[in-house]
Amino acid sequence: RQVEDDLRRLCLAGEWKPGERLPAVADLAQQYGVARNTVTKALRRLAEDGLVEIVPSWGTFRARS
C-alpha cells in the first residue's frame, strides 16, 4: 500500500506529465525494495482510479487529463 500511496502522490504532484511514461516495473521494484508483483498491483489500482494508463508491451503512462 505504501508503494501505491507514494506513486499516487508523485502523480498528483506532477512528477510525470500527462502521457509521459513512468519508470519500468522492475526499476520501481528495485527503487522501493519490493517485488515486481507489488508494483504491478499498485499500478493497477492507480489505473482503476484513472491516474495512469497501462499499455501492454509498452509500459505505464500518466493518464491524460
Side-chain angles (χ1 to χ4, degrees), residues 17-36:
K17 294 181 176 103
E20 185 176 353
R21 186 175 181 183
L22 276 65
V25 170
D27 294 337
L28 290 171
Q30 183 177 11
Q31 177 183 332
Y32 286 102
V34 298
R36 291 171 52 133

Side-chain angles (χ1 to χ4, degrees), residues 24-50:
V25 170
D27 294 337
L28 290 171
Q30 183 177 11
Q31 177 183 332
Y32 286 102
V34 298
R36 291 171 52 133
N37 190 43
T38 300
V39 173
T40 299
K41 287 179 183 178
L43 291 173
R44 284 184 184 150
R45 286 192 289 263
L46 294 177
E48 289 172 1
D49 292 342

Side-chain angles (χ1 to χ4, degrees), residues 21 25 40 43-44 47 52-61:
R21 186 175 181 183
V25 170
T40 299
L43 291 173
R44 284 184 184 150
V52 300
E53 295 177 36
I54 299 171
V55 182
S57 300
W58 284 90
T60 303
F61 299 82

